[in-house]
Amino acid sequence: MIPRLTLTILLLAASSSLYSAEQKPNILFILADDLGWADTTLYGHTSLYETPNLERLATRGMTFNRAYTASPLCSPTRSSILTGLHPARTGLTTPNCHKPEIVLQSIAAEKAPSDKKLTQLTNVTRLDTKYETLAERFKAEGYTTAHFGKWHLGSEPYSPLEHGFDTDSPHHPGPGPAGSYVAPWKFKDFDEAYPGEHIEDRMGDEIVTFLEEHQDEPFFLNYWQFSVHGPFNAKQEYIDRHRDRIDPDDEQRSPTYAAMMQSLDENVGKVLDAVDRLGLTDNTIIIFSSDNGGNMYNEVDGTTPTANRPLRGGKGNNWDGGTRVPGIVIWPGQIEAGSRSDELITSTDFYPTLLDMLDLSPSPNQSFDGISITPALKGEALDRDAIFTYFPHSTGVPDTLPPSVAIYQGDWKLFRFFHDGPDGNHRHELYNLIEDIGESNDVATQHPERVAALSAKLDSFETTTGAVTPRYNPAYLPTNPLLTELGFKVGKDTQLSIKEGKLILKALDQNAQTSLTLKDPAEPGDLELKLTFTSSAKGRIDLRWSEKGVTPLYFNTRLIHSKPYPASTETSVSLPLSARASVISFRIDFMQSAGTVRIEQIELLRKGKSEQNWKFTD
């Protein structure tokens, strides 16, 4: 008789996976970079970009009409795929992972310049190795793991090799291909195989070799394409081909971008051909998606790289144009070929879904912010409440948004703009995405109960994930339009205002600082900047200026100091300077202890005569 404990262990072992060692399915995860929802022929919104191999993928599996990323930028989304955790939880919310500073925890600053409504967040710059990645989990399950293409989650000791991948090519930590898509490249220790080689062609060839070498063992393969991120270049013969196909009235009219799309799609086809040729088709799960929406703010061929219409916004925005992406899942024998789904899915779902596909449980103490979407893959409805996109920054790109988080529930999307309302309260906007796919009609005032209910869920999301959100700046002063008109901008640790005919600088820490951009650049030569002011503390003035065509531009090439000035006494200080080129701006620092400076007048003189004059009238 078998002891009960032993029998239990045997039963658990027998049922721990749907697959035996010989049957374990391969996993191929293809992730495009900056590929928008309207950039493929999957959804009927482009006539210029040709994506026959993406359509080939779609005929084998399920295409998701409402697939989203957790962030509108690349590194946060990539981290969410590998960990199943939301960027709000990990703090990795910006694509700064190629920068040299290593930051593993996000912190909200307590103060900011007085023209900033919100304080800034420190940016996590590496995917912390404390998180168990998909690669680590599948490696523990006996899979060979490989990463090809873009990473952008950190260099050693945060590269793919430290996150569970056996192979990494070209082992590049940057945000895009090194230097160019077309060789000669600038990848370290990774030379082109032949002159003019395209990096996507090379990645495709490397993956084919990997598949040939590992066809007899289960593998987890990341093919994270560099395409279609900048720099914007492509094979010349492809650009020439698409140039004759351009409709000048279509917002998608870049032949270079169309050529980049062609290379992206061709190499998906190359990899798919190898899977078929090697007899791996029926035992390979394939996922295809993108890390964020299409790029609308760079320039190529005299236009933007792409357009996300009918969606609003693009990469770097929490509008749907920045977070809605193509999504295809192939699961042989389980998914109806050529099917489509309207279920909401997001990038944090892939980790728990892959575990569910293989009948694997999370590791001890492991949890996810996403859910398994296997019911949707089988044509059923998902039992899910909502998904979230989180971007506590503002990029300044076209259609830019304040730092925000958004919740999607059913047909509805609610934005929360952090501390953007009266008295530092959050501001909300509500959209019905079925009736208003372009997010042009905010209906928050018509549905106050829905706003309140969704807002409460946003509160819970922020609390549950431990999201570090921007703080309301206690020193914030709305910018006086006259300041902007005159060219003044607040400096570090300073409040700037105009009151009773004076420019008021209040030092919040030690020094009071402002910058001044000249509407009319001052011609080169000997000049004199004269300031008439009263300060509550004694100190001196440091004056920097920038000259047209002289780099670096930001006030750090020329500096002069004034003599000390007294406290509580009206004082005139003249600062002579010699400009080699036209002066375009000044930075004025009152080097003193915390206090208030009241400036009555600023004059720019040449040979004792006033050339420009600034007075301050409310």
Side-chain angles (χ1 to χ4, degrees):
M1 180 176 178
I2 300 175
R4 180 177 296 178
L5 180 59
T6 303
L7 179 61
T8 301
I9 293 172
L10 290 172
L11 289 172
L12 287 172
S15 63
S16 63
S17 175
L18 290 171
Y19 301 94
S20 68
E22 294 77 19
Q23 294 174 322
K24 286 181 179 178
N26 306 306
I27 300 161
L28 170 59
F29 201 118
I30 307 174
L31 185 70
D33 191 5
D34 289 359
L35 181 71
W37 182 76
D39 282 349
T40 76
T41 50
L42 297 172
Y43 304 101
H45 294 297
T46 183
S47 58
L48 175 60
Y49 310 143
E50 298 172 331
T51 53
N53 288 296
L54 297 189
E55 292 189 23
R56 186 176 161 198
L57 286 177
T59 62
R60 301 185 180 197
M62 176 175 283
T63 300
F64 284 87
N65 297 323
R66 296 201 297 167
Y68 285 88
T69 57
S71 166
L73 287 175
C74 59
S75 298
T77 295
R78 291 163 187 267
S79 73
S80 72
I81 291 170
L82 284 178
T83 65
L85 301 175
H86 207 284
R89 187 180 299 277
T90 62
L92 205 165
T93 57
T94 60
N96 289 333
C97 296
H98 57 289
K99 294 189 175 181
E101 300 83 9
I102 297 176
V103 181
L104 298 179
Q105 183 176 0
S106 181
I107 300 173
E110 295 184 0
K111 58 184 180 179
S114 63
D115 66 335
K116 305 297 183 184
K117 185 177 289 188
L118 303 180
T119 67
Q120 295 293 303
L121 303 184
T122 57
N123 300 318
V124 170
T125 63
R126 301 291 186 271
L127 178 59
D128 200 325
T129 52
K130 70 181 182 182
Y131 303 116
E132 183 181 61
T133 65
L134 274 168
E136 290 172 311
R137 180 58 194 273
F138 284 117
K139 187 172 183 177
E141 296 292 334
Y143 281 71
T144 297
T145 58
H147 179 87
F148 293 91
K150 175 171 171 173
W151 175 245
H152 206 201
L153 291 170
S155 55
E156 298 90 346
Y158 303 94
S159 79
L161 301 179
E162 290 82 38
H163 278 289
F165 290 97
D166 300 315
T167 301
D168 177 32
S169 178
H171 197 58
H172 177 60
S180 175
Y181 279 91
V182 181
W185 306 316
K186 296 180 181 179
F187 293 106
K188 183 180 180 182
D189 302 323
F190 189 79
D191 297 328
E192 59 268 24
Y194 53 86
E197 184 178 27
H198 194 285
I199 187 60
E200 294 299 359
D201 291 345
R202 177 62 172 276
M203 290 295 95
D205 292 342
E206 297 258 346
I207 290 170
V208 170
T209 299
F210 173 88
L211 293 173
E212 291 171 345
E213 293 176 350
H214 297 279
Q215 59 183 298
D216 296 325
E217 55 190 291
F219 58 78
F220 171 64
L221 192 160
N222 258 5
Y223 176 21
W224 284 10
Q225 297 174 298
F226 289 105
S227 301
V228 278
H229 192 284
F232 298 99
N233 55 59
K235 298 178 183 179
Q236 189 59 50
E237 62 269 28
Y238 287 10
I239 298 174
D240 293 341
R241 171 180 175 264
H242 291 291
R243 201 179 302 279
D244 294 334
R245 302 177 58 246
I246 297 299
D247 177 356
D249 295 325
D250 194 326
E251 292 178 274
Q252 291 179 332
R253 56 179 182 270
S254 166
T256 300
Y257 195 82
M260 295 171 74
M261 288 290 300
Q262 182 175 346
S263 289
L264 178 154
D265 187 78
E266 282 181 350
N267 284 283
V268 170
K270 180 189 293 184
V271 172
L272 198 56
D273 287 344
V275 169
D276 292 347
R277 174 172 56 83
L278 296 171
L280 303 174
T281 308
D282 293 337
N283 197 39
T284 301
I285 294 168
I286 302 176
I287 296 174
F288 177 84
S289 192
S290 178
D291 60 1
N292 52 248
N295 183 333
M296 290 176 56
Y297 58 86
N298 285 119
E299 182 178 336
V300 57
D301 300 326
T303 184
T304 56
T306 192
N308 297 307
R309 76 285 184 277
L311 306 180
R312 183 172 180 178
K315 171 184 178 179
N317 268 327
N318 247 348
W319 298 114
D320 264 28
T323 58
R324 191 169 179 172
V325 292
I328 303 170
V329 179
I330 298 171
W331 189 12
Q334 300 290 330
I335 292 178
E336 180 185 352
S339 58
R340 300 183 82 94
S341 174
D342 287 326
E343 294 294 315
L344 277 173
I345 68 169
T346 185
S347 52
T348 55
D349 292 337
F350 293 123
Y351 198 143
T353 299
L354 286 168
L355 292 186
D356 199 20
M357 286 174 162
L358 273 63
D359 197 27
L360 297 172
S361 299
S363 296
N365 301 318
Q366 185 179 32
S367 60
F368 301 112
D369 292 312
I371 66 169
S372 171
I373 63 169
T374 53
L377 299 177
K378 297 178 180 180
E380 302 169 8
L382 287 178
D383 182 16
R384 100 171 315 149
D385 184 31
I387 65 171
F388 302 86
T389 60
Y390 180 71
F391 193 58
H393 311 281
S394 187
T395 58
V397 300
D399 228 351
T400 195
L401 290 169
S404 65
V405 61
I407 178 173
Y408 295 77
Q409 186 184 61
D411 300 344
W412 298 92
K413 176 181 181 180
L414 181 76
F415 278 104
R416 168 174 290 175
F417 302 113
F418 296 115
H419 307 293
D420 198 48
D423 302 319
N425 294 315
H426 299 320
R427 182 171 65 84
H428 296 89
E429 292 182 8
L430 180 69
Y431 296 91
N432 185 310
L433 296 178
I434 302 303
E435 298 177 357
D436 180 23
I437 192 172
E439 299 174 271
S440 61
N441 183 26
D442 172 20
V443 293
T445 56
Q446 291 98 299
H447 300 276
E449 292 182 358
R450 188 177 297 277
V451 170
L454 293 177
S455 179
K457 292 181 182 296
L458 285 176
D459 290 340
S460 178
F461 167 77
E462 292 175 27
T463 300
T464 301
T465 59
V468 177
T469 61
R471 299 179 180 180
Y472 184 72
N473 178 18
Y476 175 65
L477 287 175
T479 301
N480 187 319
L482 182 58
L483 288 172
T484 303
E485 181 183 338
L486 293 173
F488 287 90
K489 187 175 181 181
V490 69
K492 182 180 179 182
D493 295 330
T494 303
Q495 285 185 341
L496 186 66
S497 61
I498 293 177
K499 188 175 181 180
E500 298 176 351
K502 293 181 173 59
L503 180 66
I504 311 297
L505 283 73
K506 184 177 180 181
L508 301 178
D509 188 4
Q510 292 186 357
N511 308 323
Q513 180 190 107
T514 184
S515 62
L516 168 60
T517 299
L518 306 185
K519 290 183 180 179
D520 300 313
E523 294 297 319
D526 293 330
L527 301 167
E528 185 178 346
L529 192 71
K530 182 179 179 181
L531 298 96
T532 302
F533 64 95
T534 302
S535 174
S536 63
K538 63 181 180 180
R540 74 165 195 272
I541 296 174
D542 283 1
L543 178 67
R544 295 170 174 85
W545 68 96
S546 54
E547 300 173 6
K548 188 174 182 178
V550 177
T551 57
L553 184 63
Y554 188 71
F555 306 119
N556 56 0
T557 54
R558 314 296 298 277
L559 168 67
I560 55 176
H561 309 287
S562 77
K563 295 180 179 178
Y565 56 75
S568 304
T569 303
E570 184 173 283
T571 304
S572 289
V573 171
S574 294
L575 295 156
L577 58 115
S578 181
R580 296 165 295 184
S582 297
V583 176
I584 56 178
S585 55
F586 293 100
R587 196 184 92 186
I588 306 166
D589 292 70
F590 290 84
M591 309 297 291
Q592 61 180 50
S593 59
T596 301
V597 179
R598 292 174 170 81
I599 302 176
E600 184 173 325
Q601 182 176 340
I602 299 177
E603 281 187 284
L604 184 62
L605 306 168
R606 187 187 301 271
K607 296 181 179 179
K609 294 183 178 180
S610 180
E611 193 167 274
Q612 296 191 44
N613 191 315
W614 293 267
K615 290 186 177 181
F616 311 100
T617 302
D618 292 328

